[in-house]
Amino acid sequence: MDVIGRFCKIYTDICQISPDDLEHIYADDILFIDPITTHHGIDEVKRYFSNLLTQAESCKFDIADIFTCSPNGSKEHPSSHSKVTHIANWSMTLTLKDSDKQITLDGTTQLGVSDDSIIYHKDYYDLGEMVYEHVPILGFVVKKIKGKLAK
């Protein structure tokens, strides 16, 4: 199984893995970026996932599509030597511990693969949908603003 196959398997439900399993898909010098923060190196990524695993009951990704980018068409990321080689579209369902509420959101991930390891991972998703809309007062305000902008 290649690294993209292993990536899809691990992200089926990341609460069913150990942070050490991430070494099977990510390179030691992985650059991992999401709307919350940036992590440099496998040790930082493993700490990030360890924290997530303590808070989440379940975190499942339904990966709808993975597209391979042509080497000539991809652009270098300014802070890495990697090129985006794959783009994954997904839907995530997250259930936090001590909560029966599920958070579902869609997103996209850019991946850079080299030597059967992921060296670059950047997530794109609506942070408001994931976090801010679930904070009682702030959520009400964000939803009102979105409603007014949609008119």
mmCIF file of all heavy atoms in Angstrom, residues 21-54:
data_model
loop_
_atom_site.group_PDB
_atom_site.id
_atom_site.type_symbol
_atom_site.label_atom_id
_atom_site.label_comp_id
_atom_site.label_asym_id
_atom_site.label_seq_id
_atom_site.Cartn_x
_atom_site.Cartn_y
_atom_site.Cartn_z
ATOM 1 N N ASP A 21 1.638 5.858 14.957
ATOM 2 C CA ASP A 21 1.210 5.408 13.621
ATOM 3 C C ASP A 21 1.447 6.483 12.565
ATOM 4 O O ASP A 21 1.543 6.172 11.375
ATOM 5 C CB ASP A 21 -0.274 5.025 13.629
ATOM 6 C CG ASP A 21 -0.556 3.786 14.458
ATOM 7 O OD1 ASP A 21 0.348 2.929 14.595
ATOM 8 O OD2 ASP A 21 -1.688 3.670 14.966
ATOM 9 N N LEU A 22 1.525 7.732 12.991
ATOM 10 C CA LEU A 22 1.736 8.831 12.046
ATOM 11 C C LEU A 22 3.087 8.721 11.345
ATOM 12 O O LEU A 22 3.268 9.237 10.245
ATOM 13 C CB LEU A 22 1.602 10.175 12.757
ATOM 14 C CG LEU A 22 0.232 10.439 13.383
ATOM 15 C CD1 LEU A 22 0.271 11.679 14.261
ATOM 16 C CD2 LEU A 22 -0.835 10.560 12.309
ATOM 17 N N GLU A 23 4.037 8.028 11.974
ATOM 18 C CA GLU A 23 5.352 7.825 11.361
ATOM 19 C C GLU A 23 5.262 6.984 10.089
ATOM 20 O O GLU A 23 6.191 6.999 9.286
ATOM 21 C CB GLU A 23 6.300 7.165 12.360
ATOM 22 C CG GLU A 23 6.618 8.055 13.544
ATOM 23 C CD GLU A 23 7.464 7.357 14.606
ATOM 24 O OE1 GLU A 23 7.847 6.181 14.409
ATOM 25 O OE2 GLU A 23 7.746 7.992 15.635
ATOM 26 N N HIS A 24 4.157 6.266 9.906
ATOM 27 C CA HIS A 24 3.976 5.433 8.711
ATOM 28 C C HIS A 24 3.534 6.251 7.504
ATOM 29 O O HIS A 24 3.542 5.732 6.379
ATOM 30 C CB HIS A 24 2.963 4.316 8.978
ATOM 31 C CG HIS A 24 3.398 3.373 10.052
ATOM 32 N ND1 HIS A 24 4.465 2.526 9.916
ATOM 33 C CD2 HIS A 24 2.909 3.180 11.303
ATOM 34 C CE1 HIS A 24 4.624 1.832 11.026
ATOM 35 N NE2 HIS A 24 3.690 2.211 11.888
ATOM 36 N N ILE A 25 3.121 7.505 7.738
ATOM 37 C CA ILE A 25 2.711 8.331 6.598
ATOM 38 C C ILE A 25 3.508 9.622 6.484
ATOM 39 O O ILE A 25 3.728 10.113 5.381
ATOM 40 C CB ILE A 25 1.191 8.643 6.619
ATOM 41 C CG1 ILE A 25 0.768 9.396 7.867
ATOM 42 C CG2 ILE A 25 0.383 7.365 6.421
ATOM 43 C CD1 ILE A 25 -0.673 9.919 7.823
ATOM 44 N N TYR A 26 3.946 10.192 7.608
ATOM 45 C CA TYR A 26 4.627 11.484 7.584
ATOM 46 C C TYR A 26 6.135 11.340 7.709
ATOM 47 O O TYR A 26 6.631 10.528 8.503
ATOM 48 C CB TYR A 26 4.117 12.393 8.711
ATOM 49 C CG TYR A 26 2.676 12.812 8.554
ATOM 50 C CD1 TYR A 26 1.734 12.534 9.527
ATOM 51 C CD2 TYR A 26 2.258 13.508 7.412
ATOM 52 C CE1 TYR A 26 0.404 12.922 9.384
ATOM 53 C CE2 TYR A 26 0.932 13.899 7.267
ATOM 54 C CZ TYR A 26 0.019 13.599 8.250
ATOM 55 O OH TYR A 26 -1.292 13.988 8.103
ATOM 56 N N ALA A 27 6.858 12.179 6.962
ATOM 57 C CA ALA A 27 8.317 12.220 7.038
ATOM 58 C C ALA A 27 8.747 12.881 8.348
ATOM 59 O O ALA A 27 7.967 13.605 8.984
ATOM 60 C CB ALA A 27 8.871 13.007 5.847
ATOM 61 N N ASP A 28 9.986 12.637 8.749
ATOM 62 C CA ASP A 28 10.506 13.244 9.977
ATOM 63 C C ASP A 28 10.429 14.763 9.939
ATOM 64 O O ASP A 28 10.212 15.406 10.963
ATOM 65 C CB ASP A 28 11.960 12.822 10.213
ATOM 66 C CG ASP A 28 12.077 11.358 10.629
ATOM 67 O OD1 ASP A 28 11.064 10.754 11.043
ATOM 68 O OD2 ASP A 28 13.199 10.813 10.532
ATOM 69 N N ASP A 29 10.607 15.349 8.750
ATOM 70 C CA ASP A 29 10.616 16.816 8.624
ATOM 71 C C ASP A 29 9.308 17.364 8.051
ATOM 72 O O ASP A 29 9.296 18.415 7.421
ATOM 73 C CB ASP A 29 11.801 17.267 7.775
ATOM 74 C CG ASP A 29 11.759 16.704 6.361
ATOM 75 O OD1 ASP A 29 10.957 15.783 6.091
ATOM 76 O OD2 ASP A 29 12.539 17.187 5.512
ATOM 77 N N ILE A 30 8.198 16.676 8.333
ATOM 78 C CA ILE A 30 6.880 17.088 7.840
ATOM 79 C C ILE A 30 6.578 18.547 8.216
ATOM 80 O O ILE A 30 6.895 18.983 9.319
ATOM 81 C CB ILE A 30 5.768 16.154 8.400
ATOM 82 C CG1 ILE A 30 4.365 16.590 7.951
ATOM 83 C CG2 ILE A 30 5.812 16.088 9.917
ATOM 84 C CD1 ILE A 30 4.069 16.395 6.524
ATOM 85 N N LEU A 31 5.978 19.260 7.275
ATOM 86 C CA LEU A 31 5.412 20.587 7.549
ATOM 87 C C LEU A 31 3.901 20.392 7.515
ATOM 88 O O LEU A 31 3.340 20.075 6.468
ATOM 89 C CB LEU A 31 5.856 21.606 6.504
ATOM 90 C CG LEU A 31 5.229 23.002 6.620
ATOM 91 C CD1 LEU A 31 5.559 23.643 7.959
ATOM 92 C CD2 LEU A 31 5.691 23.888 5.476
ATOM 93 N N PHE A 32 3.246 20.531 8.666
ATOM 94 C CA PHE A 32 1.813 20.266 8.833
ATOM 95 C C PHE A 32 1.145 21.574 9.224
ATOM 96 O O PHE A 32 1.448 22.147 10.271
ATOM 97 C CB PHE A 32 1.623 19.209 9.923
ATOM 98 C CG PHE A 32 0.214 18.730 10.101
ATOM 99 C CD1 PHE A 32 -0.171 17.481 9.630
ATOM 100 C CD2 PHE A 32 -0.734 19.500 10.762
ATOM 101 C CE1 PHE A 32 -1.471 17.018 9.826
ATOM 102 C CE2 PHE A 32 -2.031 19.056 10.949
ATOM 103 C CZ PHE A 32 -2.398 17.811 10.471
ATOM 104 N N ILE A 33 0.215 22.039 8.379
ATOM 105 C CA ILE A 33 -0.441 23.332 8.592
ATOM 106 C C ILE A 33 -1.954 23.127 8.575
ATOM 107 O O ILE A 33 -2.482 22.445 7.699
ATOM 108 C CB ILE A 33 -0.061 24.320 7.465
ATOM 109 C CG1 ILE A 33 1.455 24.471 7.361
ATOM 110 C CG2 ILE A 33 -0.732 25.673 7.683
ATOM 111 C CD1 ILE A 33 1.915 25.138 6.082
ATOM 112 N N ASP A 34 -2.633 23.713 9.554
ATOM 113 C CA ASP A 34 -4.091 23.774 9.498
ATOM 114 C C ASP A 34 -4.518 25.174 9.934
ATOM 115 O O ASP A 34 -3.662 25.980 10.319
ATOM 116 C CB ASP A 34 -4.747 22.641 10.292
ATOM 117 C CG ASP A 34 -4.600 22.741 11.797
ATOM 118 O OD1 ASP A 34 -4.204 23.799 12.321
ATOM 119 O OD2 ASP A 34 -4.886 21.740 12.471
ATOM 120 N N PRO A 35 -5.807 25.502 9.864
ATOM 121 C CA PRO A 35 -6.220 26.864 10.214
ATOM 122 C C PRO A 35 -5.913 27.273 11.655
ATOM 123 O O PRO A 35 -5.947 28.450 11.978
ATOM 124 C CB PRO A 35 -7.728 26.849 9.958
ATOM 125 C CG PRO A 35 -7.908 25.827 8.894
ATOM 126 C CD PRO A 35 -6.903 24.748 9.244
ATOM 127 N N ILE A 36 -5.583 26.317 12.498
ATOM 128 C CA ILE A 36 -5.308 26.636 13.896
ATOM 129 C C ILE A 36 -3.831 26.940 14.117
ATOM 130 O O ILE A 36 -3.485 27.905 14.785
ATOM 131 C CB ILE A 36 -5.772 25.484 14.822
ATOM 132 C CG1 ILE A 36 -7.288 25.292 14.684
ATOM 133 C CG2 ILE A 36 -5.371 25.734 16.263
ATOM 134 C CD1 ILE A 36 -7.831 24.058 15.353
ATOM 135 N N THR A 37 -2.952 26.134 13.541
ATOM 136 C CA THR A 37 -1.528 26.269 13.836
ATOM 137 C C THR A 37 -0.662 25.575 12.788
ATOM 138 O O THR A 37 -1.172 24.905 11.890
ATOM 139 C CB THR A 37 -1.228 25.717 15.251
ATOM 140 O OG1 THR A 37 0.100 26.049 15.615
ATOM 141 C CG2 THR A 37 -1.433 24.230 15.325
ATOM 142 N N THR A 38 0.639 25.713 12.938
ATOM 143 C CA THR A 38 1.618 25.078 12.061
ATOM 144 C C THR A 38 2.559 24.236 12.906
ATOM 145 O O THR A 38 2.979 24.668 13.983
ATOM 146 C CB THR A 38 2.429 26.147 11.289
ATOM 147 O OG1 THR A 38 1.531 26.891 10.469
ATOM 148 C CG2 THR A 38 3.501 25.516 10.429
ATOM 149 N N HIS A 39 2.875 23.048 12.404
ATOM 150 C CA HIS A 39 3.780 22.135 13.111
ATOM 151 C C HIS A 39 4.928 21.768 12.186
ATOM 152 O O HIS A 39 4.710 21.417 11.032
ATOM 153 C CB HIS A 39 3.044 20.868 13.541
ATOM 154 C CG HIS A 39 1.819 21.155 14.345
ATOM 155 N ND1 HIS A 39 1.873 21.485 15.670
ATOM 156 C CD2 HIS A 39 0.516 21.208 13.993
ATOM 157 C CE1 HIS A 39 0.648 21.718 16.105
ATOM 158 N NE2 HIS A 39 -0.190 21.558 15.110
ATOM 159 N N HIS A 40 6.141 21.808 12.723
ATOM 160 C CA HIS A 40 7.338 21.446 11.982
ATOM 161 C C HIS A 40 7.928 20.183 12.601
ATOM 162 O O HIS A 40 8.322 20.190 13.766
ATOM 163 C CB HIS A 40 8.383 22.568 12.044
ATOM 164 C CG HIS A 40 7.899 23.857 11.469
ATOM 165 N ND1 HIS A 40 7.978 24.127 10.126
ATOM 166 C CD2 HIS A 40 7.323 24.929 12.042
ATOM 167 C CE1 HIS A 40 7.476 25.330 9.898
ATOM 168 N NE2 HIS A 40 7.063 25.839 11.049
ATOM 169 N N GLY A 41 7.966 19.113 11.838
ATOM 170 C CA GLY A 41 8.570 17.874 12.313
ATOM 171 C C GLY A 41 7.562 16.904 12.882
ATOM 172 O O GLY A 41 6.514 17.283 13.400
ATOM 173 N N ILE A 42 7.904 15.633 12.777
ATOM 174 C CA ILE A 42 7.000 14.553 13.198
ATOM 175 C C ILE A 42 6.706 14.616 14.696
ATOM 176 O O ILE A 42 5.588 14.316 15.124
ATOM 177 C CB ILE A 42 7.551 13.161 12.785
ATOM 178 C CG1 ILE A 42 6.505 12.061 13.018
ATOM 179 C CG2 ILE A 42 8.848 12.848 13.486
ATOM 180 C CD1 ILE A 42 5.282 12.143 12.149
ATOM 181 N N ASP A 43 7.668 15.035 15.514
ATOM 182 C CA ASP A 43 7.417 15.081 16.959
ATOM 183 C C ASP A 43 6.341 16.091 17.316
ATOM 184 O O ASP A 43 5.484 15.821 18.163
ATOM 185 C CB ASP A 43 8.711 15.365 17.726
ATOM 186 C CG ASP A 43 9.680 14.193 17.667
ATOM 187 O OD1 ASP A 43 9.224 13.043 17.483
ATOM 188 O OD2 ASP A 43 10.900 14.425 17.786
ATOM 189 N N GLU A 44 6.356 17.266 16.667
ATOM 190 C CA GLU A 44 5.313 18.267 16.914
ATOM 191 C C GLU A 44 3.954 17.764 16.445
ATOM 192 O O GLU A 44 2.942 17.989 17.110
ATOM 193 C CB GLU A 44 5.642 19.590 16.215
ATOM 194 C CG GLU A 44 6.725 20.387 16.891
ATOM 195 C CD GLU A 44 6.910 21.761 16.271
ATOM 196 O OE1 GLU A 44 6.004 22.269 15.569
ATOM 197 O OE2 GLU A 44 7.987 22.351 16.494
ATOM 198 N N VAL A 45 3.912 17.085 15.298
ATOM 199 C CA VAL A 45 2.649 16.550 14.776
ATOM 200 C C VAL A 45 2.109 15.482 15.721
ATOM 201 O O VAL A 45 0.916 15.446 16.016
ATOM 202 C CB VAL A 45 2.821 16.015 13.338
ATOM 203 C CG1 VAL A 45 1.566 15.295 12.860
ATOM 204 C CG2 VAL A 45 3.189 17.150 12.389
ATOM 205 N N LYS A 46 2.978 14.632 16.231
ATOM 206 C CA LYS A 46 2.547 13.591 17.167
ATOM 207 C C LYS A 46 1.993 14.202 18.454
ATOM 208 O O LYS A 46 0.988 13.725 18.982
ATOM 209 C CB LYS A 46 3.701 12.628 17.455
ATOM 210 C CG LYS A 46 3.983 11.705 16.282
ATOM 211 C CD LYS A 46 5.304 10.972 16.371
ATOM 212 C CE LYS A 46 5.464 10.100 17.545
ATOM 213 N NZ LYS A 46 6.729 9.301 17.488
ATOM 214 N N ARG A 47 2.608 15.284 18.956
ATOM 215 C CA ARG A 47 2.083 15.958 20.158
ATOM 216 C C ARG A 47 0.699 16.555 19.885
ATOM 217 O O ARG A 47 -0.202 16.484 20.721
ATOM 218 C CB ARG A 47 3.051 17.041 20.631
ATOM 219 C CG ARG A 47 4.185 16.509 21.479
ATOM 220 C CD ARG A 47 4.972 17.607 22.176
ATOM 221 N NE ARG A 47 5.704 18.463 21.263
ATOM 222 C CZ ARG A 47 6.901 18.184 20.749
ATOM 223 N NH1 ARG A 47 7.499 17.056 21.071
ATOM 224 N NH2 ARG A 47 7.497 19.029 19.930
ATOM 225 N N TYR A 48 0.540 17.154 18.702
ATOM 226 C CA TYR A 48 -0.740 17.738 18.297
ATOM 227 C C TYR A 48 -1.827 16.666 18.277
ATOM 228 O O TYR A 48 -2.918 16.856 18.818
ATOM 229 C CB TYR A 48 -0.560 18.386 16.926
ATOM 230 C CG TYR A 48 -1.785 19.042 16.336
ATOM 231 C CD1 TYR A 48 -2.424 20.092 16.975
ATOM 232 C CD2 TYR A 48 -2.285 18.632 15.108
ATOM 233 C CE1 TYR A 48 -3.530 20.712 16.412
ATOM 234 C CE2 TYR A 48 -3.391 19.247 14.535
ATOM 235 C CZ TYR A 48 -4.007 20.284 15.199
ATOM 236 O OH TYR A 48 -5.105 20.881 14.635
ATOM 237 N N PHE A 49 -1.533 15.513 17.676
ATOM 238 C CA PHE A 49 -2.519 14.436 17.620
ATOM 239 C C PHE A 49 -2.763 13.835 18.995
ATOM 240 O O PHE A 49 -3.891 13.458 19.307
ATOM 241 C CB PHE A 49 -2.081 13.362 16.612
ATOM 242 C CG PHE A 49 -2.498 13.662 15.211
ATOM 243 C CD1 PHE A 49 -1.798 14.590 14.448
ATOM 244 C CD2 PHE A 49 -3.588 13.038 14.638
ATOM 245 C CE1 PHE A 49 -2.177 14.885 13.155
ATOM 246 C CE2 PHE A 49 -3.980 13.324 13.339
ATOM 247 C CZ PHE A 49 -3.267 14.250 12.598
ATOM 248 N N SER A 50 -1.740 13.749 19.837
ATOM 249 C CA SER A 50 -1.925 13.243 21.207
ATOM 250 C C SER A 50 -2.930 14.094 21.947
ATOM 251 O O SER A 50 -3.810 13.580 22.652
ATOM 252 C CB SER A 50 -0.598 13.238 21.971
ATOM 253 O OG SER A 50 0.272 12.288 21.439
ATOM 254 N N ASN A 51 -2.820 15.416 21.799
ATOM 255 C CA ASN A 51 -3.765 16.330 22.435
ATOM 256 C C ASN A 51 -5.172 16.122 21.878
ATOM 257 O O ASN A 51 -6.148 16.061 22.636
ATOM 258 C CB ASN A 51 -3.312 17.778 22.241
ATOM 259 C CG ASN A 51 -4.230 18.752 22.943
ATOM 260 O OD1 ASN A 51 -4.560 18.575 24.112
ATOM 261 N ND2 ASN A 51 -4.650 19.777 22.234
ATOM 262 N N LEU A 52 -5.284 16.008 20.571
ATOM 263 C CA LEU A 52 -6.588 15.770 19.946
ATOM 264 C C LEU A 52 -7.210 14.480 20.469
ATOM 265 O O LEU A 52 -8.407 14.435 20.784
ATOM 266 C CB LEU A 52 -6.465 15.708 18.421
ATOM 267 C CG LEU A 52 -7.714 15.268 17.669
ATOM 268 C CD1 LEU A 52 -8.830 16.294 17.823
ATOM 269 C CD2 LEU A 52 -7.414 15.039 16.203
ATOM 270 N N LEU A 53 -6.403 13.431 20.581
ATOM 271 C CA LEU A 53 -6.921 12.136 21.021
ATOM 272 C C LEU A 53 -7.432 12.173 22.454
ATOM 273 O O LEU A 53 -8.311 11.387 22.815
ATOM 274 C CB LEU A 53 -5.850 11.057 20.855
ATOM 275 C CG LEU A 53 -5.458 10.753 19.402
ATOM 276 C CD1 LEU A 53 -4.268 9.800 19.352
ATOM 277 C CD2 LEU A 53 -6.625 10.202 18.606
ATOM 278 N N THR A 54 -6.919 13.070 23.279
ATOM 279 C CA THR A 54 -7.414 13.173 24.654
ATOM 280 C C THR A 54 -8.762 13.892 24.702
ATOM 281 O O THR A 54 -9.493 13.745 25.664
ATOM 282 C CB THR A 54 -6.426 13.924 25.577
ATOM 283 O OG1 THR A 54 -6.287 15.269 25.131
ATOM 284 C CG2 THR A 54 -5.084 13.233 25.636
#
